[in-house]
Amino acid sequence: MSMWLLLRRWVLTQFGQLSGRNLLLSSVMYAAISWFLLSLAGEHALTHSLTDFIYYLFVTASTVGYGDMSPTTDLGKWVVALFVIPGGLGLFAIGVSRIASLLIHYWKGGLMGKRSLKVNKHILVLGWNEQRTLSLINMLLHEEKGRRDIVLCVRPEMENPLPGKIEFVRVISFTDHAGMARAGVADADCIIIDNPEDDVTLSASLYCANQNPEAHLLAYFNDEALSDLLKQHCPNAECIPSVSVEMLAKAAVDPGSSELHHELLSTNKGMTQYSVNFPSDKTETTVAPLFSLFKKQHDAILIALDAGKGVELNPPLDRAVTANTKLFYIADERVDSFEWHKLGDQDV
């Protein structure tokens, strides 16, 4: 077998797969051969400085061709025409395609939920219920604009339904340690679990509570018995039962109730229910001045409070309100900053 065929077979074997190592080795060999041939041709202006030489190769290979540096000898021109330009164009095209391929792979990995996320204090949504999940995420996006990131974690084979708006992770199961770590379960501030199957919701809730006991855990169940079971193991979990039957009965007795409840829960339409904590640096007060403050200063209505013993709806005006009590109110939009300093000026 001729030396040429052996060399050709070796080149195809070593560089046919176009790995990063082979591409780097090819570039080094191309630069070394180019420098040797140009030096042999007497092109000292192109080879005397390493910076000038590398600059010339890049400009030539990328077809920019500024013209500030070029061969001056006849042999040098032949070297450039037959080796430097063809070889440089080939390596440049391969390098650009490799970088583009890596970028596409990275982007596709994020779209398919295969990338590890670098998030903290985020809202983690576990489960996919198609339109219901999309509605949930859109409401969260409206509420959390500029605040917490939203991460959707699913099991089905699917792409990110809202690329550019939310982060996305796909896992084998919601108890898979490696997959859930990619979604940042241990660093989440709030975890919402909503699956078509209640047993999946229960197992995911128990796993998340173990991995991140400090997170605000919300779980939606169709079977209320499972809510009681979860509360036994995770007292701090907030279970959301299905209220469709109760809503039907209420609307039958009091027509319009379903529309009222829908508006109170919707962040995109009409008045909505929000909450705020009474500042820890404020002295104890009562509901009366707070009710007046909410209505007069912010056009909001105080409807309930929670001092740590459960939610108390429609509290009496003389009900004491202490530091860090959670106050629930109805308003057109969330109030970013309450004027607590005007509390003493309200008429009781």
Side-chain angles (χ1 to χ4, degrees):
M1 187 178 293
S2 66
M3 185 62 68
W4 168 250
L5 289 177
L6 288 173
L7 180 62
R8 181 171 178 270
R9 177 175 293 181
W10 181 82
V11 170
L12 290 175
T13 302
Q14 295 297 316
F15 303 103
Q17 295 181 354
L18 295 177
S19 66
R21 172 181 170 275
N22 290 341
L23 184 59
L24 178 61
L25 183 58
S26 299
S27 300
V28 172
M29 290 177 58
Y30 163 74
I33 295 173
S34 297
W35 183 88
F36 175 76
L37 293 176
L38 289 172
S39 297
L40 193 65
E43 296 291 345
H44 302 298
L46 300 178
T47 58
H48 79 286
S49 169
L50 179 62
T51 300
D52 288 344
F53 174 68
I54 298 298
Y55 165 76
Y56 172 71
L57 285 186
F58 268 96
V59 169
T60 303
S62 61
T63 69
V64 175
Y66 290 120
D68 54 344
M69 299 180 69
S70 59
T72 57
T73 66
D74 290 342
L75 183 57
K77 293 176 181 177
W78 281 107
V79 169
V80 171
L82 297 179
F83 181 77
V84 176
I85 292 178
L89 286 176
L91 287 173
F92 183 76
I94 293 172
V96 170
S97 64
R98 174 55 58 86
I99 293 174
S101 177
L102 290 174
L103 291 175
I104 291 174
H105 180 75
Y106 181 80
W107 171 79
K108 194 68 175 178
L111 194 64
M112 295 300 298
K114 298 178 180 180
R115 225 171 40 218
S116 295
L117 303 180
K118 295 182 179 179
V119 288
N120 188 38
K121 298 296 181 182
H122 55 289
I123 297 178
L124 178 59
V125 179
L126 302 182
W128 177 247
N129 280 289
E130 298 185 353
Q131 190 57 48
R132 188 169 79 180
T133 304
L134 284 176
S135 299
L136 167 65
I137 293 175
N138 283 323
M139 286 190 286
L140 290 173
L141 287 171
H142 178 81
E143 280 288 304
E144 295 292 329
K145 188 180 297 183
R147 298 174 63 200
R148 293 178 289 184
D149 293 323
I150 298 172
V151 177
L152 173 63
C153 183
V154 303
R155 294 186 304 162
E157 280 276 0
M158 57 179 288
E159 296 183 358
N160 188 342
L162 296 170
K165 294 183 178 181
I166 63 172
E167 300 292 347
F168 180 70
V169 173
R170 195 178 73 82
V171 296
I172 299 174
S173 74
F174 294 133
T175 56
D176 173 46
H177 187 71
M180 295 299 290
R182 289 193 291 111
V185 64
D187 300 314
D189 188 47
C190 177
I191 302 175
I192 303 175
I193 306 172
D194 180 15
N195 288 273
E197 306 91 359
D198 278 356
D199 57 338
V200 175
T201 300
L202 180 62
S203 61
S205 300
L206 293 172
Y207 176 83
C208 292
N210 177 263
Q211 294 295 310
N212 189 350
E214 301 300 323
H216 181 202
L217 181 63
L218 300 169
Y220 179 91
F221 289 103
N222 293 306
D223 185 355
E224 197 166 342
L226 292 178
S227 299
D228 299 333
L229 180 60
L230 178 61
K231 293 290 287 185
Q232 292 177 14
H233 295 278
C234 307
N236 295 328
E238 189 172 347
C239 300
I240 315 297
S242 174
V243 294
S244 55
V245 175
E246 292 85 347
M247 190 64 67
L248 284 172
K250 188 62 177 173
V253 177
D254 299 302
S257 296
S258 62
E259 294 183 17
L260 171 63
H261 284 82
H262 178 72
E263 183 170 326
L264 288 177
L265 295 175
S266 174
T267 59
N268 300 315
K269 172 187 175 183
M271 292 290 173
T272 304
Q273 177 260 306
Y274 301 98
S275 67
V276 64
N277 286 337
F278 188 62
S280 58
D281 59 344
K282 295 296 180 182
T283 57
E284 180 178 316
T285 184
T286 60
V287 169
L290 285 171
F291 191 93
S292 182
L293 172 72
F294 277 48
K295 187 60 180 176
K296 290 183 177 180
Q297 301 295 333
H298 307 287
D299 198 23
I301 300 177
L302 179 62
I303 60 171
L305 56 83
D306 184 359
K309 298 180 180 180
V311 176
E312 183 180 349
L313 283 169
N314 192 24
L317 294 177
D318 60 353
R319 172 70 160 82
V321 177
T322 56
N324 295 318
T325 296
K326 186 176 290 294
L327 306 173
F328 297 90
Y329 64 94
I330 299 173
D332 186 48
E333 291 287 345
R334 183 183 297 277
V335 179
D336 294 325
S337 179
F338 280 92
E339 299 176 338
W340 303 110
H341 62 280
K342 297 183 177 180
L343 188 59
D345 300 332
Q346 304 306 313
D347 297 326
V348 181

